[in-house]
Amino acid sequence: MLETKLLSFTQQHLTEAGTIIRQGGLVAFPTETVYGLGANALDANAVSDVFRAKGRPSDNPLIVHVYCKEQIYEIANSVSDDALKVIDHLMPGSVTIVLPKKADVVPDCVTAGLATVAVRMPLSQEARQFLQYCKVPVAAPSANTSTRPSPTTWQAVNEDMSGKIDAILCGKACDVGIESTVLDLTSDTPRILRPGIVTASQIEAIIGKSVVVITNPKEKVNSPGVRYKHYAPKCDMVLNLDGDIAKLCNYYDQCVEKGQKPVLLVQDVAKYGNRQCYPLGETDEQVAHNLFAALRHCEKRYDIIIASYTGKGEVADSVINRITKSAGQKII
Ligand code: TXA
Ligand code: MG
C-alpha cells in the first residue's frame, strides 16, 4: 500500500507533483473532461504501474497528454494537413487525435504495441498547470479502476485509487464529465473512435471533409478500449431510451415488490410520483456533466438504477454511448 498524498494547486504541491512524475510515480489530475491517472509517457516502468493500479488490460493503449503544440512533434512521426487543422482549431480542448507514433520515443506499453499514438492537449487551467510542471508528456487513462465509471471529482478518484498511487491533485469537479472525443487521423478518412463533446460536425467544418463515426462496437475498430466492459456502477442498472414513464414506474414497482431498493435516474424527476428519483440533468450537456457522478452516488445507496434518457443529436449520442455501456446493454 502506498500513502496517497492529497495535493492542492499551490506552487509547492505542483512542484511536488511534477517531481513525482519525473521520478516514475503516478499522479491523478483533473482535466475538463474527467480526471486522468498520469505517468511519465517516456518511462515504460511508470506506465506499467498505471495499468497495474487500474487493473487495465495491457492491450488497451493510453492517451499521451501534452502541454504545448511543440510536444506533439516530439511523439508523433508525422502530422497530416487534417491533423494540423484540428490542432490549430480544437487544441487545447476535449479532443484526442491518433497519429503515427515516433517508435523510438514512445514506449510500446503506452500504445499497446500499435504504430500510432493518441495525443491530447487538455484545456482546463488545472490540467495545463500540472502538465507544465511535469515538463514531460504524460500518459493518462481515466483515473478509475478498470470497468468503473470515470471519475469527475477528486473524491471519486480517491475511492478507486487510494493506496495505489502516489498522489491526487485535488482540483475542481470536471466541467464536461465524459471523456474526450477520440479522432483517428492516420488515414485519409478521419474516423471518430469514441464520441465526445467535440462532435463530428464541428470537426467536418474545420477539416472540410466528412468524418466517419464508428458506432457499432462489433465492427472492427482500431480503438481497443471500446471493446471492454465499461463505466459500470457496482449495483444493477437498466436503461430506457424512449421515455415511457408508465413502463419505468411499473419496472420500479416490480423491483420494490421483489424487496429491492430501486432509484429512477431521470431527467424530469417530477413525473414519477413519490418514487425515489435522482436527477440526471435537463440538457444533454448537463447529463454528460452529471452521469458518472450520479452513478457513483446511486450505487452507494440503491440496489438497482433504472435510468431513462431521451436526448437526440450528436452530444446526446456520446452520452448514449456511455450510459448504454454503464447499463451493460440492459435496455428496457
Ligand atoms: O478525456 C479523456 O480522454 C481522458 C482524460 C484523462 O484525458 N482520458 C481517457 O483515457 O478517457 P482512457 O484510457 O480511459 O481512454 C482512452 C481511449 C481508449 O478507448 C483507448 O483504446 C483509445 O483512447 N486509444 C488510446 N490510444 C489509442 C491509439 N493509439 N489508437 C486508437 N485508440 C487509442
Ligand atoms: Mg477510461
Side-chain angles (χ1 to χ4, degrees):
M1 276 281 268
L2 289 170
E3 196 208 317
T4 302
K5 288 184 185 164
L6 300 181
L7 303 177
S8 57
F9 281 79
T10 60
Q11 250 186 32
Q12 189 196 339
H13 280 182
L14 282 163
T15 305
E16 191 174 343
T19 306
I20 295 172
I21 290 290
R22 285 190 304 281
Q23 290 178 346
L26 307 187
V27 179
F29 63 100
T31 80
E32 75 277 11
T33 55
V34 301
Y35 272 71
L37 175 53
N40 179 355
L42 310 181
D43 178 341
N45 287 328
V47 170
S48 308
D49 287 342
V50 169
F51 284 89
R52 206 169 309 131
K54 276 183 65 88
R56 178 175 175 116
S58 60
D59 63 350
N60 190 4
L62 307 183
I63 295 171
V64 178
H65 296 69
V66 297
Y67 168 70
C68 59
K69 295 182 180 176
E70 290 69 42
Q71 265 184 329
I72 299 176
Y73 294 86
E74 289 170 25
I75 55 176
N77 212 12
S78 61
V79 175
S80 62
D81 287 348
D82 291 345
L84 266 182
K85 290 179 191 157
V86 173
I87 293 168
D88 274 353
H89 290 91
L90 294 172
M91 292 173 113
S94 304
V95 66
T96 293
I97 54 175
V98 177
L99 300 171
K101 85 161 175 173
K102 268 201 177 133
D104 52 338
V105 177
V106 184
D108 267 346
C109 59
V110 173
T111 58
L114 296 174
T116 57
V117 61
V119 187
R120 174 165 180 228
M121 195 190 308
L123 177 66
S124 87
Q125 253 336 94
E126 291 177 338
R128 293 183 56 71
Q129 270 185 303
F130 168 65
L131 292 170
Q132 192 173 17
Y133 275 82
C134 288
K135 301 184 187 132
V136 288
V138 172
S142 50
N144 52 285
T145 300
S146 202
T147 79
R148 302 259 301 129
S150 298
T152 56
T153 61
W154 69 261
Q155 291 91 340
V157 177
N158 200 37
E159 270 172 23
D160 283 14
M161 290 298 150
S162 181
K164 297 181 180 167
I165 64 175
D166 297 287
I168 301 172
L169 262 174
C170 303
K172 292 185 293 207
C174 305
D175 284 339
V176 175
I178 58 172
E179 309 85 349
S180 62
T181 305
V182 177
L183 176 65
D184 182 351
L185 293 173
T186 57
S187 74
D188 249 5
T189 310
R191 298 182 319 147
I192 290 183
L193 306 179
R194 179 177 70 184
I197 205 90
V198 173
T199 62
S201 5
Q202 264 175 285
I203 297 164
E204 282 170 351
I206 283 160
I207 60 183
K209 55 164 108 153
S210 54
V211 171
V212 174
V213 184
I214 308 282
T215 47
N216 181 356
K218 293 199 177 85
E219 262 174 55
K220 184 179 168 353
V221 288
N222 282 353
S223 194
V226 299
R227 273 202 303 266
Y228 298 106
K229 177 180 173 190
H230 236 127
Y231 316 124
K234 286 180 177 159
C235 65
D236 280 343
M237 177 169 171
V238 295
L239 173 65
N240 168 274
L241 293 168
D242 60 22
D244 183 338
I245 291 170
K247 184 158 69 180
L248 285 156
C249 289
N250 191 29
Y251 197 96
Y252 178 102
D253 295 343
Q254 282 177 8
C255 290
V256 174
E257 271 169 38
K258 282 191 266 179
Q260 289 178 311
K261 197 175 168 199
V263 63
L264 289 155
L265 180 60
V266 291
Q267 290 178 273
D268 191 349
V269 294
K271 289 184 177 157
Y272 298 85
N274 55 9
R275 295 171 183 84
Q276 275 299 318
C277 290
Y278 191 78
L280 186 55
E282 285 169 22
T283 65
D284 302 318
E285 284 77 9
Q286 283 168 359
V287 175
H289 172 82
N290 293 340
L291 176 64
F292 292 139
L295 297 179
R296 284 178 179 264
H297 174 92
C298 292
E299 70 178 7
K300 297 186 188 73
R301 294 163 178 84
Y302 302 98
D303 300 324
I304 178 163
I305 298 169
I306 305 165
S308 176
Y309 177 60
T310 55
K312 299 271 181 291
E314 286 181 294
V315 174
D317 285 347
S318 51
V319 172
I320 291 170
N321 171 277
R322 307 309 194 281
I323 199 169
T324 308
K325 290 176 185 163
S326 299
Q329 324 281 340
K330 290 190 288 285
I331 308 292
I332 59 166

